[in-house]
Amino acid sequence: MNLTLPPLLDHDLGEYKDELLQLLPRFFIPRLQDKPQDPIMDALRIERESKTFRHEESPPKLVITGVKAQESPQDFLGDDPTFFWERAAKEGVRFQSQIRSWDSLRPSFSQVASPGPFLSEQSDSTFAAARYYVNPLLQDPAWQLSHVSMREFSISIQNILVGNSSSLYRWESLSETFVIPSTADGKKVFLVIGGKDDVLMQSFTNRFLTIGSLLRRLHIFTDDLRRRSRTEHQSIHSFAHALSTCIENIRLRLSKFPARTPLNTSALFLSHEEFKDELEAIASLCGRSLDCGPSEYPAFPSQPEVLLSRIYDQLQYHFERASAPSVRAMLAHIFTVTSGDYLQTISRSVGYYGSFATNRPKSTFIPSGLDLGDDDDQEDGESVSSDNIEGFPNFISSDASEILIRARKSLKFLSTAQPDHHLLQSSASRRRVAWFWSDEEVSAAWNSKNDLVDLSDAVEKSASVSRSDSDGGTDSGLLGQFKVFSLEPGTHFPPSAQGAETTLQSFLENFPLHLSLLTPTLSHLSNLVLSPLITHCTSVSGALISLLLSPESHLHLHSHLVLLRSYLLLTLPAFTRRLQAALFSDSDDWNFEGSTVRAMAKSTHNGKTVSGESTAQWAVGLGLGLAERDSWPPGGSDLSYYLRTVIVDSLESVLDVTGRDSVESSEGRRRIFAEAEFRLGFVIRDLPAGSGRERWLNPSSIEALDFLLLDYKPPPPLDVVITPDVLSKHQRIFSFTLRLLRVQNALAALFRMTRESQLFPILTSANNLLLRFRFLAQSFVSVIASHVPDVAVRGNVDPFLTRLTPGTFTDVFELANAYSDVMDDVLSACLLRSSQRTAGDALRGCMELALDLCVLAGDRKRGRVEEHAAMSLLEDLHTSFVGRWIRW
């Protein structure tokens, strides 16, 4: 079977032989010529021919794209350069990707060319494909890769930012952080997010995980603070309230996370830096930073002073390093709210608001470090104001702390001395002590430091006045009660009642970018904030010292100190003579009874005669009536009999010394001297339990009268100056002076014993040595006896009394310290300080040897010691006395 096919073409093929397109090669190899080759020229020619070929083959839409930077448009567009832009405007620029890779074969590959030649400027999937090809991930059997879309990751981040778990991250209570949960078979999960770079996304994710973890930690910490006992100080609860308000504010701002995708990761990363800084600062303040786990959390302080110091230090740190304004504003709000109750507590403790409630429990208004103490609680150190200044927060300087402590004590004394003083009355002109930050408030406080009214109160009052003026005045009838319904919602509330969130937002908006130029540092600002309180404290201290220096007051300090100088320091001659007559005797008769009827009656009652002899040693220099019972110390009834009128009989002499006319013209000073009989009195000190007990029990010892003291009971406000420590210094000088008077009377008795007869009739050399020894001892004691009252006492006390004028001392505690220093100077002049032990022991040793000389002479007078035995004792005493005198 023959099959005939129709012809393919009706026309002759010769017609189309010239119309077929010539298939040219995509490359060519130039033919080598039989001549020397020029490689440089050949390379330029090949490059020009290849460019011309590519231009001819390029489609019209890609002409512009194919142009390279080193080519000129005139090579293929003619001489007119404007034709290039006209053609580009007509045809439109359509960039197409020139990347040739296996990934470009997929249908979803974007054919749009990238703006640049770098891989990082390509699409996310292209860049990820190239990155995984160049740097493939190592396969770890303990890890599992999990690919997450950007949308799912965005939803997860939104939940984390408000402190909640998500589908990708879970809250772990053990470490209190957000972590990626493991798989069911225990493998760890590594997230690959939308083709993004793993390192970049890890850094991007860490910021949001940090924000969410810190927010969750602070929320747990706030709940713990709220569950604390009600016995905590109010500052702790204020801190918890301020902290929860700030956390809620941050949470509300974080809830505005953008929901659109794809996310601008760089902008989102930078926009959340502010939240991260705020939370890190607050977490560092609370001890909940991510650097430590729950088991390493530091103990949070419960004392308000420590808490406020911690907040202040953090705030000062961020001001010094110029942290973000939002961080400083947030910490400043927490510090302002927390310190409010503490400042009010301190203000009430010093009577700033005019109410000093001494009957209320201390815990209701006195913080730790400001305990008022009991009425009889005084310091026994060198200073009367040695309170622990560390009990105050750091923003209160040491000088301000000292002023507050002294004002608190002065207020207690002032309320006792003069309860109706004007400083103890309430005053509405005193502004509320609180922190302020704006330039307007700082300027107002600077211009009127003393009489500044609270700025917030002034704003509120002016607003209420303007509202009342706009309403046509205040209506007192029934219609006026419905005026509140005509106002806008919320305008009738004060600023403090508008909600914590509103107050915080207003505080953050009005917080200055930097501190005022008047107060460039926090320490300057704290001084300005506390300035009205310090001024009030200075006024309280000045009021008390003015009262104590007023001659019209019964608390006139000058008169009381004159009594102390006259009696306890034995500078009043009348009192000294009466005291000597009662306690001492310079008679050479050992049977002398003081010419008292009571002594004669005692002698008769005990079956003794006046001329009766006693076998006991003669305590030369003591009044024989004291040692009558042959026991020492004497009984209280005997002492009270001999000393019953010593103080009262000498009071008239005090009036002559101080000026009788001035005393009688002042009611207060008359009261002082009228009460002196009851405030002055002799007391008997308990016997020591150590080695010095036997010396107290020996009447011949120089320490025989150390059990007797003269005490003074100052009125209650004056016990801040005349403290027990100051009185103990007076009593040390009183005991030393009694020893000196004892030796003086003993030497006077020795003079009488050796005036008419010789104690050593046989041994002439011993008698001469006795006379020389008596002269040396008499000269030594006479110099000391004239030095103590005139130089040591009056030389120091009298100049101080002349300084007791208004304006010399800032407060009563400075005066008390000055008087304590004066008494130290008196002790130093008498060689009674512990630092003068060597010289003081030499002085007291000389006095004791002089008394031993008198006792030896008394025994020789009575014949109780043989002449030869007494001579050896006399020589030993003389040698010791001269040796001590030389060393002294």
Side-chain angles (χ1 to χ4, degrees), residues 498-512:
Q498 294 179 359
E501 292 78 8
T502 306
T503 304
L504 173 59
Q505 189 63 31
S506 176
F507 184 89
L508 297 179
E509 293 175 355
N510 298 326
F511 192 79

Side-chain angles (χ1 to χ4, degrees), residues 225-241 300-308 311 337-349 361-371 391 393 395:
L225 284 182
R226 293 185 181 277
R227 285 193 296 266
R228 285 197 177 190
S229 175
R230 293 185 177 181
T231 58
E232 295 285 354
H233 194 270
Q234 182 62 30
S235 298
I236 304 297
H237 301 286
S238 299
F239 174 74
H241 171 70
F300 191 74
S302 58
Q303 294 187 354
E305 296 84 6
V306 181
L307 174 60
L308 291 175
I311 303 174
V337 175
T338 307
S339 62
D341 293 305
Y342 184 81
L343 292 177
Q344 301 314 305
T345 302
I346 292 182
S347 301
R348 289 193 298 269
S349 67
K362 295 178 184 179
S363 60
T364 59
F365 70 101
I366 299 298
S368 57
L370 287 176
D371 188 14
F395 65 88

Side-chain angles (χ1 to χ4, degrees), residues 130-240:
R131 186 174 60 252
Y132 291 148
Y133 178 78
V134 175
N135 186 20
L137 295 177
L138 298 178
Q139 298 297 327
D140 190 349
W143 288 83
Q144 177 178 336
L145 295 179
S146 178
H147 294 271
V148 180
S149 64
M150 200 63 185
R151 178 177 179 80
E152 185 179 359
F153 175 74
S154 174
I155 297 175
S156 179
I157 290 297
Q158 293 182 33
N159 293 330
I160 292 175
L161 286 179
V162 293
N164 298 330
S165 300
S166 63
S167 60
L168 301 179
Y169 297 93
R170 177 176 55 86
W171 175 256
E172 187 182 56
S173 302
L174 184 62
S175 61
E176 291 193 355
T177 54
F178 284 102
V179 296
I180 303 176
S182 303
T183 60
D185 53 355
K187 291 185 177 181
K188 298 181 181 179
V189 178
F190 185 83
L191 296 181
V192 179
I193 303 170
K196 300 289 185 181
D197 182 74
D198 301 332
V199 178
L200 295 179
M201 289 307 297
Q202 185 177 5
S203 176
F204 176 78
T205 308
N206 285 340
R207 169 160 295 184
F208 298 100
L209 293 178
T210 300
I211 293 174
S213 300
L214 292 177
L215 194 65
R216 185 74 172 263
R217 285 190 176 192
L218 291 175
H219 180 72
I220 297 174
F221 174 73
T222 306
D223 292 341
D224 294 339
L225 284 182
R226 293 185 181 277
R227 285 193 296 266
R228 285 197 177 190
S229 175
R230 293 185 177 181
T231 58
E232 295 285 354
H233 194 270
Q234 182 62 30
S235 298
I236 304 297
H237 301 286
S238 299
F239 174 74

